[in-house]
Amino acid sequence: MSGPADRTLTDVTPSLAPAALQAAARGALHPGPDGCGGCAAATLADRPDGTVVRHGATVAKAHAPDTDAARLRQRLAVAAAPALAGVLLPPLRPEATRLHGRLVTFWPHGTPVDPDRPQDAPWEAAATLLARLHATPADGLTDAPLPPMRGPVKAARALARLDASAPDHPAARPVRRAWRTLPPWARAEAPCDHARALCHGDLHLGQLVRGPAGPWLLIDIDDLGLGDPAWDLARPAAWFACGLLAPDDWTRFLTAYRGAGGARQLCAPDPWPALDVPARALTVQTAALAVAKAAEAGRSLDEVEVAVVDACDRMVGVPAPLGSAAAK
């Protein structure tokens, strides 16, 4: 269930300009008096829920204004844990820094997946990393119990954004109807009691980076925690079900996950009983954000956005199961 650490962003939360974050990243890379010798610098993302900049080999991230410091500390400890070496990108510092009212963390720079070369998408690497994450015991990774995985909270926030930005949009109706078919845990209205695996919480190909000649690693720990491992497979599963991911790519992904020893129910001959609810939730989340963004930009839905809205419409006639199998 969502709580104070997961409350909705408001318009009165502090902002942090990319220039200030760049200065922090420069200081982290060049702590001495000599300063910078002309490192490459760039703003990688600048959104209300997070600003990310690069300075040379260092990346600085300003987390969402409502980020809970204690929970972020736990997530940083997981990313730095030896048991997860080669799975999660480790932070450069074990603690967050507070800057202009925002929590900032520092990371090594890595090369992301090239969105212009979908044929090179590292589906096998992503699946293998997830399987290793899900198979890692959470006990002993931190000095306090890990928080819940925040995937359902992100889905609920997508619906809140839809209601705020496009309350009367025709496409909003099937999205809301599909949302109401989901069980309470998938809407962040109840705890996820059926599974307690270590999960990433927001898996997509933008969450992988690699160093020079290095392996792929998972990044972005903001949603990491304990929950249903099926949520981490749900986005590619949803794309496959909507016809947006080629069957061969889905097969590559699922085969690699099984080969790496992922969660038991997801390695079964038929994983869909476990995947059904999370895949539906990610479809609704994707559709809600698509409609909200289109309304905010004053444009029509594109072909892909129409496909996910249509998938929501189809869901209403096929109720979602009420539960899911226990995690490995």
Side-chain angles (χ1 to χ4, degrees):
M1 185 179 297
S2 60
D6 298 316
R7 61 188 182 276
T8 304
L9 297 178
T10 69
D11 293 333
V12 298
T13 49
S15 61
L16 179 59
L21 195 56
Q22 281 283 2
R26 184 172 61 249
L29 185 62
H30 308 289
D34 295 335
C36 175
C39 297
T43 298
L44 306 180
D46 187 14
R47 301 185 301 269
D49 63 343
T51 302
V52 184
V53 303
R54 174 194 177 187
H55 184 87
T58 296
V59 170
K61 177 174 182 176
H63 296 261
D66 60 349
T67 297
D68 181 272
R71 291 186 169 187
L72 180 58
R73 187 182 308 113
Q74 291 169 265
R75 291 175 168 122
L76 285 168
V78 172
L84 287 162
V87 177
L88 296 171
L89 183 73
L92 293 174
R93 296 180 180 178
E95 298 280 343
T97 298
R98 194 169 289 277
L99 179 65
H100 296 190
R102 298 281 288 276
L103 291 169
V104 176
T105 54
F106 298 92
W107 306 85
H109 176 260
T111 302
V113 175
D114 187 347
D116 296 326
R117 293 187 59 83
Q119 68 274 19
D120 295 335
W123 289 113
E124 290 92 346
T128 299
L129 292 171
L130 287 180
R132 291 179 59 190
L133 182 69
H134 297 162
T136 301
D139 294 342
L141 293 178
T142 67
D143 56 5
L146 280 173
M149 175 267 293
R150 295 177 65 253
V153 171
K154 292 183 74 84
R157 286 187 171 184
L159 267 291
R161 180 171 174 179
L162 174 68
D163 289 341
S165 300
D168 301 319
H169 196 291
R173 289 192 291 273
V175 177
R176 292 194 191 96
R177 288 198 300 268
W179 180 249
R180 290 193 292 269
T181 69
L182 298 172
W185 75 265
R187 300 196 305 261
E189 295 172 1
C192 175
D193 291 332
H194 63 271
R196 299 283 291 173
L198 184 59
C199 301
H200 181 273
D202 187 30
L203 189 281
H204 53 80
L205 290 179
Q207 307 286 36
L208 284 87
V209 299
R210 69 192 312 173
W216 291 104
L217 296 170
L218 292 172
I219 63 170
D220 192 353
I221 59 168
D222 285 4
D223 303 303
L224 183 144
L226 298 179
D228 189 342
W231 200 278
D232 284 345
L233 279 67
R235 187 175 269 108
W239 292 345
F240 168 66
C242 293
L244 302 175
L245 180 65
D248 287 349
D249 290 336
W250 170 246
T251 299
R252 287 168 49 203
F253 178 79
L254 192 57
T255 299
Y257 182 84
R258 290 166 166 167
R264 183 180 62 250
Q265 74 272 26
L266 299 172
C267 295
D270 180 9
W272 280 101
L275 283 169
D276 187 82
V277 166
R280 288 170 182 251
L282 264 295
T283 301
V284 176
Q285 175 181 322
T286 302
L289 289 176
V291 175
K293 290 177 180 179
E296 291 162 3
R299 60 170 178 80
S300 300
L301 298 177
D302 63 27
E303 184 177 357
V304 171
E305 293 166 339
V306 169
V308 293
V309 172
D310 287 347
C312 290
D313 204 18
R314 293 193 298 272
M315 283 183 209
V316 178
V318 185
L322 294 178
S324 178
K328 178 178 177 180

